[in-house]
Amino acid sequence: MSVASVAPVAGAVLLGALAGLVAVPFGRHVVGVPPDEGPVGGVGSGGTVPGDGNRGRAPRRAGDRAGASTRAYASPRRGSVTVTGAVVFGGLAVTHGAEPALPVLLLVAAAGLVLAVTDLIALRLPDPLVGAVALGGLGLVGTATVTGEPGRAATALAGAGLSLCGYVLLALLPRARLGFGDVKLAAALGFPLGWLGWPTLRLGLLLPHVLAGTAVLALLAAGRVRRDTPLPFGPAILAGAWLAAVLT
């Protein structure tokens, strides 16, 4: 690999590390958790979370006992999210660095890092951040139209529509654990997944359930959660979309 090809990837890795570095404090700010407050299961005081993703869940207090009102996760460490950001951006740069839409994909990834943080901290997917992901996807539709690729624009729109319909049906199933914040995020990610092609879209719709199922089984086996413990699904949606984007 030449220096000319390494430089953009290295730049993307550094940019991703920076995005990950600021994702945790920004995410805590978005859900109303003070930066100096320890890991909590909601907003700490039980107050209203601003800009929630309409999941329909009541805010949780740090003192709730294990069970239906307890989360399995706490605020992620900044170092871990920084490394994750570097890997996410670097992977996209390696696999899609030659495409003019790479900046849009990185923008979606940056918003995704913050969304993963807010979901892990407070089981929230704030609408403004999901909207940023959707706007990035619409930007890809516009890019495909300008570059004379109507097929890509059509698959991007179809990807969003299929993701929306599929997740709405899943959310309406009896005993479903999905919230409508998850539905909106999946629909927003359907734009870039569809833009990248049908194989990417199919894998991006499948992988979140595989990842989430594996994580839940591991947590149950370790005694970290119970069957009625609410768990964030947003990180699995985001991780599945990223894996699909770099593997196909």
Side-chain angles (χ1 to χ4, degrees):
M1 185 179 292
S2 65
V3 175
S5 59
V6 169
V9 174
V13 169
L14 291 175
L15 188 61
L18 178 61
L21 185 65
V22 302
V24 173
F26 183 64
R28 292 174 72 91
H29 171 74
V30 168
V31 297
V33 178
D36 58 345
E37 184 173 323
V40 295
V43 293
S45 63
T48 301
V49 178
D52 70 79
N54 297 324
R55 284 177 175 251
R57 302 185 179 105
R60 295 174 175 81
R61 295 177 174 81
D64 285 338
R65 293 189 301 171
S69 61
T70 304
R71 292 188 306 105
Y73 297 104
S75 180
R77 297 181 181 276
R78 292 185 72 177
S80 299
V81 182
T82 299
V83 172
T84 299
V87 172
V88 167
F89 277 50
L92 291 173
V94 169
T95 53
H96 301 288
E99 299 180 12
L102 178 63
V104 178
L105 295 175
L106 296 183
L107 173 64
V108 170
L113 288 171
V114 183
L115 282 165
V117 169
T118 62
D119 209 16
L120 288 171
I121 292 175
L123 289 174
R124 302 289 173 181
L125 294 170
D127 287 339
L129 292 172
V130 176
V133 174
L135 285 176
L138 288 172
L140 291 175
V141 175
T143 299
T145 303
V146 170
T147 57
E149 298 176 288
R152 271 193 154 179
T155 55
L157 293 171
L162 289 172
S163 299
L164 175 63
C165 293
Y167 272 80
V168 165
L169 291 175
L170 290 175
L172 293 177
L173 289 175
R175 302 177 64 85
R177 303 296 292 272
L178 288 177
F180 276 89
D182 301 314
V183 172
K184 288 181 281 188
L185 176 60
L189 288 171
F191 284 114
L193 290 173
W195 185 86
L196 291 170
W198 291 111
T200 305
L201 177 63
R202 287 193 294 268
L203 193 59
L205 292 175
L206 172 65
L207 281 176
H209 303 282
V210 175
L211 295 173
T214 302
V216 169
L217 288 175
L219 289 168
L220 285 170
R224 294 277 306 279
V225 300
R226 289 166 38 175
R227 293 184 181 274
D228 60 350
T229 303
L231 297 172
F233 192 65
I237 298 176
L238 292 159
W242 177 77
L243 283 172
V246 299
L247 293 177
T248 56

